């Protein structure tokens, strides 16, 4: 997510204030998304906007230098060193200090390993192996945002060589460069879409090749011969359209496995159109309190603002018992972030870029080398120091182990949950003669009930079938599913239920996710249709309401409460939205013949007091919602009697 700014000095280009406006839009969108500002659901596309800006500026600078005969690889990388490393390294070094206070031993080890990944420009690989960008655990990684710096730095390694080679091969033929960049952009986008369609969205998100098209879109606009708008009205119309294209995903796009792919096209095309519409437009003088002057300010500090906002947000959360910041906290934190970012821009970025520090090329590279070695040594030292738990967190080791909780056997992962072949094993959906056949159908918040259901029912009387797929709502409407694996899941279940009839189907899923505004009515309509079709086949249906969910990873909240010597309270930990959604769903899905709605939160959380731990300190859930083995038994002990299965 790095707000790359193009080159500096040597090639004199007219300052374009509008590019700082675009940077401001991008960085404020990212910060608002991470700070969980209302309605900024897709602010993460600010990263894609930065990629387009970087492609435009870097391509334009390199092309100009190649045409003038002044291009030098060492000069290019000197500019990159001055532009990127001082502020980045300062942030990393200073972030290491609070890590010893706020992070547990395993987290500190991971943090210092991520420092090494940042220095070696491989943090996109590091976090790709570690976690998904939108996972709940992601908020506990102070350097997660540096994945995009690695993508951009990898782009900077490849682009100069590519443009230099194309310039030599072109021999004055102007068509060569746009054709080559256009072909590469199409190939990169095709790779991105292919990865998305084959359920490898994490690869498409974190890796450089499927992201290259975003840089290349910006680069193509910077090539001579690309049509330029000369008419002022046409420029204004194009800019208006661009802002709409940028605003739509920022305020409507949802996080999840559907990004990047086609969903990244709109913000990237909007950013490219914004840059295109400003070519040749002069920068006007503005008053210090003009809104556009304020936007320019945020654009100028965008790199430092991007660097600092995430670690500050992460550690601010760690300072709260609930790991959740309220509106006042976020406003104060944003103000602090802006102040620190300005200081970083003024006293770290500017001196290196203007050469008042490290005035020569040799000095700049010496700084980069020495600073990199120091950070790598610090990374190694931090890993060593974090191997032995301190007295303060030794008691938390039991809770810490839930960060690597092995849920797969409980869910029957790879066979009855997220089958590796895409088709459920025969044992998952085998009916048993002479028994009550019960089908547990849904996503991971259905799979986590399987262990408890099996433990609380009589296997001599009840046969439990399981069909569960990650992030897929249980529905017979394949068209309503968001990705290919979920569509295949719905199609497979329709074929199964058309041929074989269990006595009871239990529907369970992350209703909170599927009902996010404005999707509640659509979810209810889909569920009614599915329930009606099942009832029409003679199958009884039970729908389990929203599962108990927490504001963050429950073991992490319990650990930090212990370290801060705070008594954990359910009202601080439990996500209140589950109770209101439960009431809405209960009213929208009234019981009738062959259908009943069971409120899980009513059964488990009397007077909204949900248990946090059970059986001598075992967390109810191993993350923000998924039940531990003991938690599954605890919940189903209270829910199973309402299923009408007997013992």
């Amino acid at each position: 997510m790095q707000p790359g700014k193009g080159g500096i000095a040597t090639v004199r280009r007219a300052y374009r204030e509008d590019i700082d406006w675009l940077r401001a839009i991008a960085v404020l969108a990212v910060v608002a998304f991470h700070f969980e500002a209302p309605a900024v659901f897709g602010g993460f596309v600010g990263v894609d906007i930065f990629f387009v800006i970087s492609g435009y500026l870097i391509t334009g600078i390199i092309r100009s230098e190649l045409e003038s005969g002044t291009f030098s690889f060492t000069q290019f990388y000197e500019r990159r060193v001055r532009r990127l490393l001082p502020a980045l390294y300062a942030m990393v070094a200073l972030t290491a200090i609070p890590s010893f206070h706020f992070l547990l031993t395993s987290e500190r080890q991971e943090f210092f390993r991520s420092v090494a990944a940042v220095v070696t420009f491989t943090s996109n690989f590091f976090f790709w192996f570690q976690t998904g960008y939108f996972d709940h655990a992601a908020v506990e990684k102070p350097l997660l945002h540096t994945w995009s710096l690695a993508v951009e730095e990898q782009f900077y390694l490849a682009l100069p060589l590519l443009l230099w080679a194309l310039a030599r091969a072109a021999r004055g033929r102007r068509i060569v460069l746009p054709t080559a960049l256009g072909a590469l952009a199409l190939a990169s986008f095709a790779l991105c879409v292919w990865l998305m369609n084959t359920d490898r969205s994490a690869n498409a998100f974190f890796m450089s090749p499927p992201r290259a098209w975003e840089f290349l879109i910006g680069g193509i606009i910077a090539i001579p011969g690309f049509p330029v708008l000369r008419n002022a009205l046409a420029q204004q119309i194009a800019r208006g359209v661009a802002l709409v294209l940028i605003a739509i995903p920022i305020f409507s796009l949802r996080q999840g496995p559907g990004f990047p792919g086609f969903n990244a096209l709109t913000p990237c095309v909007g950013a490219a159109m914004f840059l295109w519409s400003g070519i040749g437009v002069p920068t006007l003088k503005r008053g210090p309190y003009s809104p556009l002057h304020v936007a320019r300010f945020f654009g100028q500090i965008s790199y430092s603002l991007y660097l600092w906002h995430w670690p500050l947000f992460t550690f601010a959360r760690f300072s709260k018992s609930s790991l959740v910041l309220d509106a006042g906290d976020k406003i104060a934190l944003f103000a602090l972030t802006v102040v620190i970012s300005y200081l970083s821009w003024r006293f770290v970025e500017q001196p290196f870029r203007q050469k008042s520090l490290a005035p020569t090329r040799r000095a700049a590279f010496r700084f980069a080398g020495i600073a990199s070695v120091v950070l790598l040594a610090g990374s190694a030292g931090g890993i060593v120091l974090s191997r032995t738990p301190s007295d303060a967190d030794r008691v938390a080791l039991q809770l810490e182990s839930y960060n690597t909780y092995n849920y797969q056997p409980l869910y029957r992962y790879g066979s009855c949950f997220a089958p590796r072949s895409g088709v459920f094993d025969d044992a998952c959906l085998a009916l048993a003669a002479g028994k009550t056949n019960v089908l547990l159908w849904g996503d991971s918040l259905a799979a986590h009930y399987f262990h408890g259901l099996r433990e609380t029912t009589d296997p001599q009387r009840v046969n439990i079938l399981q069909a569960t797929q990650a992030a897929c709502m249980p529905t017979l409407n394949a068209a309503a599913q968001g990705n290919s694996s979920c569509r295949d899941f719905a199609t497979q279940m329709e074929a199964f239920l058309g041929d074989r009839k269990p006595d009871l189907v239990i529907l369970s899923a992350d209703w909170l996710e599927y009902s996010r505004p404005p999707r509640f009515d659509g979810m209810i309509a889909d569920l009614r249709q599915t329930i009606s079709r099942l009832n029409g086949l003679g199958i009884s249906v039970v729908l389990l309401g929203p599962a108990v969910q927490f504001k963050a990873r429950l073991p992490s909240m319990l650990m930090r409460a212990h370290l801060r010597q705070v008594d954990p309270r359910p009202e601080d930990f439990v996500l209140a939205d589950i109770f209101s959604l439960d009431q809405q769903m209960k009213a929208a899905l009234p019981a009738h013949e062959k259908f009943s709605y069971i409120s899980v939160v009513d059964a488990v959380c009397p007077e909204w007091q949900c248990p946090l731990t059970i059986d001598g300190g075992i967390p109810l859930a191993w993350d923000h919602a998924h039940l531990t083995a003991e938690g599954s038994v605890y919940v189903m002990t209270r829910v199973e009697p309402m299923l009408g299965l007997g013992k």
Side-chain angles (χ1 to χ4, degrees):
M1 293 180 199
Q2 183 263 326
K5 291 189 176 182
I8 56 172
T10 58
V11 174
R12 294 190 177 276
R13 298 166 62 86
Y15 170 69
R16 284 184 54 179
E17 186 182 33
D18 63 320
I19 295 180
D20 273 333
W21 302 341
L22 188 58
R23 290 191 185 108
I25 292 172
V27 76
L28 292 176
V30 172
V31 173
F33 169 71
H34 284 154
F35 280 29
E36 300 163 346
V40 188
F41 304 113
F44 52 87
V45 302
V47 175
D48 306 82
I49 295 171
F50 281 130
F51 286 167
V52 175
I53 296 172
S54 291
Y56 173 77
L57 291 172
I58 296 301
T59 301
I61 289 170
I62 294 175
R63 177 198 57 77
S64 298
E65 292 183 345
L66 286 169
E67 288 185 354
S68 65
T70 60
F71 176 73
S72 161
F73 284 102
T74 56
Q75 177 179 270
F76 174 81
Y77 289 115
E78 178 196 355
R79 291 197 299 262
R80 295 299 86 209
V81 163
R82 292 183 181 278
R83 175 68 186 92
L84 299 176
L85 296 193
L88 171 63
Y89 282 5
M91 181 275 294
V92 170
L94 292 173
T95 300
I97 298 172
S99 72
F100 284 94
H101 177 71
F102 287 109
L103 301 184
L104 295 161
T105 53
S106 64
E107 294 169 329
R108 285 201 301 272
Q109 287 188 43
E110 182 179 293
F111 170 80
F112 283 108
R113 285 195 292 268
S114 70
V115 169
V118 170
V119 175
T120 55
F121 308 152
T122 58
S123 55
N124 57 329
F125 290 93
F126 179 84
F127 290 113
W128 174 52
F129 286 122
Q130 289 283 314
T131 186
Y133 180 75
F134 299 114
D135 289 353
H136 285 265
V139 297
E140 298 172 12
K141 302 176 185 298
L143 298 181
L144 174 66
H145 64 318
T146 61
W147 74 268
S148 63
L149 278 75
V151 170
E152 191 151 346
E153 287 155 347
Q154 290 157 19
F155 174 75
Y156 293 151
L157 291 175
L159 184 67
L161 183 60
L162 172 66
L163 294 180
W164 176 81
L166 288 174
R168 291 177 65 88
R171 297 180 180 178
R173 292 170 294 180
R174 288 185 173 269
I175 193 65
V176 172
L177 185 56
T179 301
L181 295 187
L184 288 172
L186 287 174
S188 170
F189 183 70
L191 172 62
C192 181
V193 172
W194 177 74
L195 290 171
M196 299 293 294
N197 289 338
T198 54
D199 295 320
R200 286 180 278 187
S201 59
N203 302 53
F205 191 96
F206 283 110
M207 296 297 102
S208 299
R211 287 284 193 168
W213 66 272
E214 302 183 12
F215 296 93
L216 293 171
I217 282 180
I220 291 171
I221 298 172
I223 297 172
F226 192 87
V228 176
L229 289 175
R230 303 296 182 187
N231 181 273
L233 179 60
Q235 291 171 338
Q236 293 172 1
I237 292 173
R239 177 145 296 176
V241 172
L243 289 173
V244 171
L245 291 176
I246 291 170
I248 288 173
I250 288 177
F251 294 107
S252 65
L253 192 60
R254 302 289 172 152
Q255 63 188 45
F259 193 84
F262 284 105
N263 284 329
L265 265 179
T266 303
C268 289
V269 170
M273 185 176 290
F274 189 96
L275 294 168
W276 175 57
S277 66
I279 296 175
V281 178
T283 295
L284 304 176
K285 290 185 177 180
R286 305 183 190 281
Y289 302 108
S290 164
L292 292 178
H293 188 79
V294 174
R296 172 181 175 176
F297 166 76
F298 280 105
Q300 288 176 325
I301 69 167
S302 59
Y303 180 50
S304 284
L305 183 57
Y306 179 82
L307 289 176
W308 278 103
H309 84 280
W310 183 248
L312 287 172
F313 178 74
T314 301
F315 287 121
R317 285 180 64 257
F318 287 159
S319 70
K320 302 282 286 189
S321 299
S322 64
L323 299 185
V324 174
L325 303 179
D326 60 31
D329 295 330
K330 292 173 184 176
I331 292 171
L333 182 62
F334 177 72
L336 175 63
T337 304
V338 171
V339 170
I340 292 175
S341 301
Y342 171 77
L343 295 174
S344 172
W345 173 77
R346 176 68 179 82
F347 297 107
V348 180
E349 285 191 60
Q350 292 299 97
F352 278 94
R353 294 184 68 186
Q354 296 172 0
K355 300 186 179 182
S356 57
L357 291 176
T360 65
R361 182 174 299 167
R362 178 176 295 181
F365 286 126
R366 185 185 300 118
F367 156 79
I370 294 174
S372 297
V373 169
V374 169
L375 284 179
L376 287 172
S379 171
I383 292 172
V384 170
L385 290 174
S386 300
R387 285 180 176 173
T388 304
S390 66
D391 291 337
D393 64 6
R394 188 170 283 110
V395 180
L397 283 176
Q398 179 185 354
L399 291 168
E400 189 176 2
S401 67
Y402 287 94
N403 286 331
T404 55
Y405 190 75
N406 185 16
Y407 67 90
Q408 295 186 359
L410 302 173
Y411 290 25
R412 299 200 286 180
Y413 182 88
S415 57
C416 304
F417 172 63
R420 295 178 180 87
S421 65
V423 179
F424 295 102
D425 290 356
D426 292 340
C428 303
L429 297 173
L431 298 176
K435 296 183 180 181
T436 301
N437 291 288
V438 178
L439 170 63
L440 181 61
W441 180 17
D443 59 14
S444 60
L445 292 189
H448 75 163
Y449 290 134
F450 175 79
H451 175 74
L453 189 59
R454 181 175 58 184
E455 293 295 313
T456 55
T457 54
D458 182 359
Q460 301 301 317
R461 300 182 61 254
V462 178
N463 175 47
I464 303 172
L465 293 74
Q466 180 187 355
T468 47
Q469 180 65 276
C472 296
M473 192 173 87
T475 175
L476 294 174
N477 182 7
Q481 299 283 25
N483 57 58
S484 59
S485 64
C486 292
R487 288 190 290 272
D488 292 343
F489 178 42
T491 302
Q492 188 178 165
M493 293 309 298
E494 184 169 22
F496 167 77
L497 292 165
D499 182 49
R500 285 163 284 183
K501 295 179 175 55
D503 300 292
L504 175 68
V505 170
I506 300 175
L507 303 178
S508 181
D510 186 358
W511 308 123
L512 196 62
E513 177 61 34
Y514 304 129
S515 66
R516 293 190 186 280
R519 296 183 290 177
F520 178 81
D521 290 339
M523 180 190 77
I524 294 297
D526 202 352
L527 287 174
R528 286 174 177 166
Q529 182 185 51
T530 296
I531 293 165
S532 176
R533 290 181 62 184
L534 291 172
N535 290 166
L537 294 171
I539 302 172
S540 296
V541 180
V542 166
L543 188 143
L544 301 183
V548 178
Q549 295 199 35
F550 301 96
K551 296 177 180 179
R553 292 172 60 86
L554 177 59
S556 295
M557 289 193 290
L558 292 170
M559 283 188 287
R560 309 215 186 269
H562 168 74
L563 293 175
R564 297 178 67 244
Q565 298 182 344
V566 174
D567 290 331
R569 301 188 308 166
E571 54 266 36
D572 291 334
F573 284 23
V574 177
L575 197 62
D577 294 351
I578 60 173
F579 299 107
S580 57
L581 177 61
D582 183 58
Q583 294 300 315
Q584 287 181 280
M585 292 185 67
K586 192 183 300 183
L589 297 168
H592 55 77
E593 186 179 2
K594 291 187 178 297
F595 172 73
S596 61
Y597 177 95
I598 295 179
S599 170
V600 174
V601 295
D602 282 351
V604 178
C605 308
E607 298 182 357
W608 292 20
Q609 294 297 300
C610 301
L612 304 178
T613 61
I614 53 176
D615 296 340
I618 296 172
L620 185 73
W622 54 268
D623 67 354
H624 74 289
H626 298 94
L627 299 171
T628 57
E630 296 82 0
S632 182
V633 172
Y634 180 91
V635 171
M636 293 314 297
T637 298
R638 286 149 181 79
V639 170
E640 187 272 338
M642 292 182 277
L643 297 175
L645 300 176
K647 191 68 179 172

